[in-house]
Amino acid sequence: MTGDPHNEVSVTEYDPEWILIFQTERDRIVEAVGSLHPQPRVVEHVGSTAVPGLAAKPIVDIMICYEAFPPIETIADLLAPIGYQHIEKPEFTESYFFRRGESLENTVHLHVTTISSEFGQMMLRFRDALRASPRLAADYAAFKRELAGQFPHDRPSYTQAKGPFVMHAIDDTS
């Protein structure tokens, strides 16, 4: 699986620049989808880069939530001019997935979902649990480093292996 930089798994120390990347991209995205009505209800920085101090893959994840799904063709056409490519992810049944950036150093993942989706609620609950518990965040960082060693060129397996940890953390916050 080597060769595709988007399959590489590299966990790095927290970078305060990630919040600035989020803020810049959030503004660009909101402007790009500005003609789409209704407007997104939520635009959030999610994933590990949204947790201060947490080691992460250097990929900023952004989630925008609508009341109902906008047509994929419409939102893809609005996001393409600012560099976002729609990537078909059959496993993502509650969201559309977009990527900006060709290397891991400048990659942003954009998840478009609905305000009521389980996917969106889980993303926010997990992020908030990590922000609220330094111990949980430290355990998660150690676990991610271990998995990165096991799956250095296989992001799907790395992501799947994180699932039980994520679900346990979310269940503990319910």
Side-chain angles (χ1 to χ4, degrees):
M1 287 200 167
T2 61
D4 179 355
H6 297 287
N7 276 329
E8 300 298 314
V9 179
S10 173
V11 176
T12 65
E13 291 303 315
Y14 179 77
D15 185 345
E17 186 76 15
W18 292 335
I19 187 69
L20 302 174
I21 293 169
F22 162 71
Q23 292 167 343
T24 299
E25 290 304 307
R26 174 198 58 209
D27 294 347
R28 293 177 71 234
I29 291 164
V30 168
E31 183 177 328
V33 300
S35 64
L36 188 60
H37 291 284
Q39 291 290 299
R41 291 259 325 269
V42 173
V43 181
E44 292 279 347
H45 187 185
V46 294
S48 295
T49 62
V51 181
L54 181 61
K57 293 184 313 297
I59 298 169
V60 173
D61 284 282
I62 300 172
M63 181 176 68
I64 60 176
C65 301
Y66 288 89
E67 285 293 329
F69 273 114
I72 185 59
E73 299 81 14
T74 303
I75 198 150
D77 287 347
L78 293 171
L79 292 168
I82 63 167
Y84 284 86
Q85 174 187 15
H86 177 238
I87 308 291
E88 289 287 335
K89 295 267 189 181
E91 67 273 24
F92 288 11
T93 58
E94 291 190 314
S95 67
Y96 303 139
F97 179 77
F98 293 83
R99 180 176 62 217
R100 184 192 63 75
E102 292 304 317
S103 70
L104 292 182
E105 288 76 39
N106 67 354
T107 299
V108 177
H109 288 173
L110 175 62
H111 309 272
V112 179
T113 191
T114 62
I115 195 79
S116 62
S117 74
E118 185 176 333
F119 169 82
Q121 295 303 314
M122 287 176 51
M123 293 280 282
L124 294 173
R125 285 182 29 221
F126 186 56
R127 180 208 57 198
D128 293 347
L130 292 170
R131 285 178 172 175
S133 172
R135 173 65 183 200
L136 180 65
D139 289 348
Y140 187 52
F143 184 56
K144 290 190 311 173
R145 284 194 168 95
E146 178 184 320
L147 292 177
Q150 291 176 24
F151 305 108
H153 306 290
D154 185 358
R155 186 169 309 161
S157 295
Y158 166 86
T159 300
Q160 184 177 12
K162 291 189 309 180
F165 186 102
V166 172
M167 294 310 296
H168 180 73
I170 289 171
D171 288 346
D172 282 353
T173 64
S174 298

